[in-house]
Amino acid sequence: METLTRLEATIAERRKADPKSSYVAQLSHRGTPVMARKLGEEAVEACVAALSGSREELVGEAADVIFHLMVLLADKGVSLEEVMAELDRREGVSGLDEKASRST
């Protein structure tokens, strides 16, 4: 968890940087649709790695997904703490029951 907390702080800092010197700043400058599309691309790459890649590829792609998700969350003003609270809320609840509660 410490790693994700540090990453969240780094992303917040780099969002303010010059886009010429920071990938996060470039993504922020280009806007939410670009960040969302990049997250989707990384998610697809993670799925491909899970199906046909090596364990090492999957680990790398999973890290990319988490990174790009955190960039998008920062863009939308959603903190890691909020996401962790939602996961805590769901803990111990059947996935089927939790999903059914959202469809009503």
Side-chain angles (χ1 to χ4, degrees):
M1 190 63 183
E2 289 178 25
T3 301
L4 295 178
T5 301
R6 286 193 313 271
L7 179 58
E8 183 178 47
T10 300
I11 288 168
E13 181 182 309
R14 292 187 182 165
R15 283 175 43 81
K16 303 173 207 165
D18 182 341
K20 293 178 183 173
S21 66
S22 167
Y23 178 64
V24 171
Q26 284 178 12
L27 288 171
S28 295
H29 181 74
R30 294 174 69 196
T32 305
V34 171
M35 286 180 259
R37 186 171 56 246
K38 187 63 180 169
L39 174 59
E41 290 170 8
E42 296 299 343
V44 168
E45 290 174 9
C47 291
V48 169
L51 294 171
S52 62
S54 68
R55 180 182 180 87
E56 184 177 280
E57 287 175 285
L58 179 56
V59 168
E61 294 302 339
D64 288 346
V65 168
I66 292 169
F67 171 80
H68 285 91
L69 174 59
M70 290 186 67
V71 170
L72 186 59
L73 290 172
D75 178 65
K76 301 305 291 182
V78 176
S79 70
L80 183 60
E81 184 177 339
E82 290 175 84
V83 175
M84 294 295 104
E86 178 61 13
L87 289 172
D88 287 342
R89 183 190 70 76
R90 294 180 184 188
E91 187 175 4
V93 176
S94 159
L96 296 175
D97 290 342
E98 196 284 326
K99 191 170 184 175
S101 74
R102 289 186 274 153
S103 62
T104 55

